[in-house]
Amino acid sequence: MPSSLFNFTILCAVTGLAMAGCANTPMSSSNNQHRVIIHAVSAQGVGPAIGNIHFKDTPAGLVINTNLSDLPPGPHGFHIHEKGSCDPAEKDGKMGAAIAAGGHFNPNQAPHHGTPTTGHLGDLPILNVDAQGQAKTSLIAPRLKLADIHGLAVMIHAGGDNYADQPKPLGGGGERIACGLIQ
């Protein structure tokens, strides 16, 4: 094989590998920001996309910009969960939405659920949804960086979050209604 043909073949192979690697990288990711597609979830599985969330590292912490629709109006529990899955799973003998995501992200083993500055690292500010079912807002998680949450799930719960374990566990957010994978 002539050396120029060999060099061309190697160049094509390397370019092909580089392009294949790029195909698996989200187009909107960079070193300090990432876009996550959010899907409705139920005990039957992952449903349609309802919007996206942008995460961005800043000196003040992780800025979270939401662009979501088709959610029930009102306040919702909003958390990072410990596993990168939005799949249903069985809990207490019954299938539940996005149970495969595990519990709140809590690598420091905080003993209680709490505010974004006191509880589990995955405890995020309340997500408020307007009367039209949209959440287009900016929030901040002061103790998190994008590197902390890579490979995990972001979760929206049916109910609000009182940042306490009383009267209901984990702030009373209840069922999981929307989820996205932070890849």
Side-chain angles (χ1 to χ4, degrees):
M1 172 184 290
S3 70
S4 62
L5 180 58
F6 178 76
N7 289 342
F8 180 73
T9 303
I10 295 297
L11 177 63
C12 287
V14 170
T15 302
L17 287 173
M19 294 305 285
C22 291
N24 292 325
T25 304
M27 296 290 262
S28 63
S29 283
S30 72
N31 289 341
N32 70 346
Q33 64 182 356
H34 187 75
R35 181 176 143 247
V36 175
I37 304 297
I38 304 300
H39 293 266
V41 292
S42 71
Q44 289 71 46
V46 177
I50 61 166
N52 60 68
I53 296 175
H54 282 87
F55 294 97
K56 182 175 182 173
D57 282 330
T58 71
L62 189 65
V63 171
I64 305 162
N65 291 305
T66 66
N67 185 11
L68 303 166
S69 59
D70 298 324
L71 289 166
H76 294 273
F78 190 42
H79 308 101
I80 302 297
H81 280 243
E82 64 187 345
K83 297 178 184 168
S85 178
C86 292
D87 292 333
E90 190 174 317
K91 182 178 180 182
D92 300 327
K94 102 179 191 186
M95 292 300 285
I99 297 297
H104 294 176
F105 177 56
N106 188 20
N108 299 336
Q109 304 302 311
H112 301 288
H113 172 65
T115 71
T117 59
T118 65
H120 305 145
L121 279 180
D123 293 337
L124 301 177
I126 292 285
L127 180 66
N128 287 303
V129 177
D130 68 20
Q132 290 73 41
Q134 297 183 346
K136 296 177 190 246
T137 189
S138 291
L139 308 165
I140 190 159
R143 299 182 298 158
L144 288 175
K145 306 184 295 272
L146 192 53
D148 298 329
I149 63 172
H150 179 78
L152 307 181
V154 59
M155 193 73 62
I156 301 168
H157 292 266
D161 188 338
N162 70 0
Y163 298 120
D165 288 321
Q166 298 295 328
K168 293 184 179 178
L170 301 173
E175 291 184 33
R176 300 164 186 205
I177 61 170
C179 180
L181 301 180
I182 308 164
Q183 300 177 345

